[in-house]
Amino acid sequence: MVVSRRSIWVFHLNTGGCNACDIEVLDLLAPVHDVERFGIKLVASPRHADVLLVTGPINVNVFDYVLRTLEAVPDPKTIVAIGSCACGGGVWFDSYATIGGVPKLLEILEERGIPKPSVVYVPGCPPKPEAMIFGLAVAANMIEKKQRFEYVVAEPSTEDRELLEVLRNEALRNLGAASKLLRGG
Amino acid sequence: MARGGLLAKLVSIGIATRRYPYERVEPPEGFRGKIVVDPQKCVGCGACARVCPARAISIEDDEERGIRRIAIFYGRCIFCARCVDVCPLNAVSTTKEFELASNESNDLLYVVEHPMARCILCGKPFAPQKLVAYVARSMKEETRWLAMVCPECRSRIVAKVKSFVGW
């Protein structure tokens, strides 16, 4: 994946979020978290950036600007989607006013034939600053991701199965008794 | 404060920066992190999907395979824990896990599948087997077999059967 072994320069792009994620992003630069120890810093122009830090569900009004900003970031580029709005649309995923987060943005890019950047999703509402550091570390290949697709089948217990068998017999008996009436109509 | 006093204070505080990715950070008490489902306790009633403000928990019935699929998409979850409050069997719980970052949106899915019970009359799958058993336990002994009949068939037959059996 991503980014070079050099310092990651980040351009922060709010696409219509509520500012909670943005305040947490500012936390990253404060002394307690201090992402500059990894060489990560915010830059003022997307042309200097390696990573586009997207917060917010991508409003219809800012969509054009998002595309233009994405174009301005030099290759190889990465999007880091911060917060549940950017990761999947959040509470506004089916609103008419938003396009529904970065996954929908990627679909639109694919439709228009624009090469897709690699994406790192950081869920949370807002995510902890540590979660963002973890996401940036995943983007920089420093850390193995922890979250994986999980699939469980909730099998009924043996008691439940026995009860269902009893119920089936009861139902058949009762319906048998009533079937004459049902047939008679 | 005199200048020497400030310097002395700064030195006494030491380094404020946490060495986060290299050392574990414990979230505070009551932190609402990743939602997990206990598949042993879950009956698949779908109360969590109903109450979820972001529709991060979706519920769909696959009639061909006869399964109910409950999927949590952490990408959309706002970690409000309303599903935890509403779960009648306390099967949903929060953890302190917050390191959910991933480079594929598929990784953010958590899927629980419930085999469904089939209606004894029309054969259509209508509710998870565990939910039928859970509901039948709270019903009266003589009428609990009606839990095996799907809602449509039940409304069709119940008046006739009721007059015949006499309850």
Side-chain angles (χ1 to χ4, degrees):
Chain A
M1 189 162 120
V2 193
V3 187
S4 58
R5 278 181 216 138
R6 297 172 196 148
S7 301
I8 304 171
W9 285 10
V10 172
F11 182 72
H12 175 202
L13 183 69
N14 185 333
T15 61
C18 68
N19 266 7
C21 297
D22 309 84
I23 290 167
E24 298 292 311
V25 167
L26 291 185
D27 252 15
L28 291 181
L29 303 164
V32 174
H33 301 292
D34 192 21
V35 283
E36 284 194 17
R37 65 204 151 111
F38 308 116
I40 299 170
K41 72 170 193 176
L42 286 186
V43 291
S45 164
R47 297 189 197 282
H48 300 158
D50 305 298
V51 167
L52 197 60
L53 205 71
V54 176
T55 62
I58 309 187
N59 287 352
V60 173
N61 281 348
V62 298
F63 175 63
D64 203 30
Y65 301 102
V66 173
L67 278 189
R68 277 159 64 184
T69 314
L70 199 60
E71 241 169 54
V73 179
D75 284 326
K77 56 193 155 198
T78 307
I79 295 179
V80 176
I82 298 280
S84 35
C85 292
C87 288
V91 186
W92 295 277
F93 71 101
D94 58 352
S95 162
Y96 62 87
T98 74
I99 68 160
V102 173
K104 291 281 160 57
L105 173 69
L106 292 183
E107 281 173 24
I108 293 172
L109 289 184
E110 198 169 11
E111 272 173 28
R112 300 192 181 179
I114 303 169
K116 281 197 284 186
S118 54
V119 183
V120 174
Y121 299 96
V122 184
C125 191
K128 274 171 84 70
E130 283 93 352
M132 294 183 190
I133 296 176
F134 188 84
L136 286 167
V138 168
N141 264 346
M142 282 165 62
I143 287 182
E144 189 68 18
K145 64 185 174 188
K146 286 186 182 175
Q147 178 68 23
R148 301 277 171 180
F149 174 72
E150 277 178 87
Y151 167 83
V152 227
V153 177
E155 288 289 342
S157 62
T158 43
E159 290 165 24
D160 285 350
R161 275 177 212 278
E162 282 163 16
L163 180 62
L164 283 171
E165 201 52 45
V166 172
L167 285 176
R168 185 180 303 279
N169 293 335
E170 279 179 20
L172 287 173
R173 202 167 59 236
N174 280 299
L175 285 169
S179 63
K180 274 181 204 163
L181 182 85
L182 289 175
R183 232 180 284 131
Chain B
M1 192 185 286
R3 191 167 278 189
L6 180 62
L7 192 63
K9 191 178 180 189
L10 289 177
V11 170
S12 73
I13 288 170
I15 297 169
T17 307
R18 295 185 200 148
R19 294 173 43 77
Y20 164 61
Y22 309 111
E23 68 178 25
R24 177 85 191 134
V25 167
E26 198 57 39
E29 200 55 44
F31 177 78
R32 299 191 299 263
K34 182 182 171 184
I35 304 290
V36 289
V37 178
D38 183 350
Q40 246 102 49
K41 287 187 192 164
C42 178
V43 293
C45 61
C48 45
R50 219 163 234 267
V51 83
C52 183
R55 300 280 177 272
I57 306 177
S58 64
I59 183 162
E60 59 183 66
D61 293 350
D62 186 343
E63 292 200 354
E64 275 175 29
R65 285 173 62 205
I67 51 157
R68 174 171 284 185
R69 182 185 151 99
I70 297 174
I72 306 179
F73 179 50
Y74 295 117
R76 204 181 292 144
C77 177
I78 58 168
F79 303 95
C80 61
R82 284 175 79 172
C83 43
V84 179
D85 292 342
V86 84
C87 183
L89 290 131
N90 297 326
V92 191
S93 55
T94 49
T95 60
K96 286 194 173 182
E97 185 59 51
F98 61 88
E99 289 156 336
L100 303 174
S102 165
N103 53 349
E104 281 175 57
S105 67
N106 198 32
D107 282 340
L108 302 173
L109 269 178
Y110 182 97
V111 176
V112 183
E113 281 193 351
H114 285 272
M116 285 172 84
R118 288 180 183 276
C119 172
I120 203 127
L121 282 172
C122 63
K124 197 184 85 177
F126 67 100
Q129 292 178 7
K130 290 174 83 174
L131 183 60
V132 170
Y134 174 70
V135 169
R137 283 202 185 93
S138 65
M139 288 167 85
K140 272 194 268 174
E141 192 78 9
E142 61 266 29
T143 54
R144 66 177 189 180
W145 64 272
L146 280 169
M148 292 298 286
V149 184
C150 73
E152 289 88 46
C153 292
R154 202 180 305 155
S155 65
R156 195 159 48 78
I157 66 160
V158 80
K160 292 175 183 174
V161 179
K162 202 172 174 182
S163 62
F164 178 76
V165 184
W167 24 261

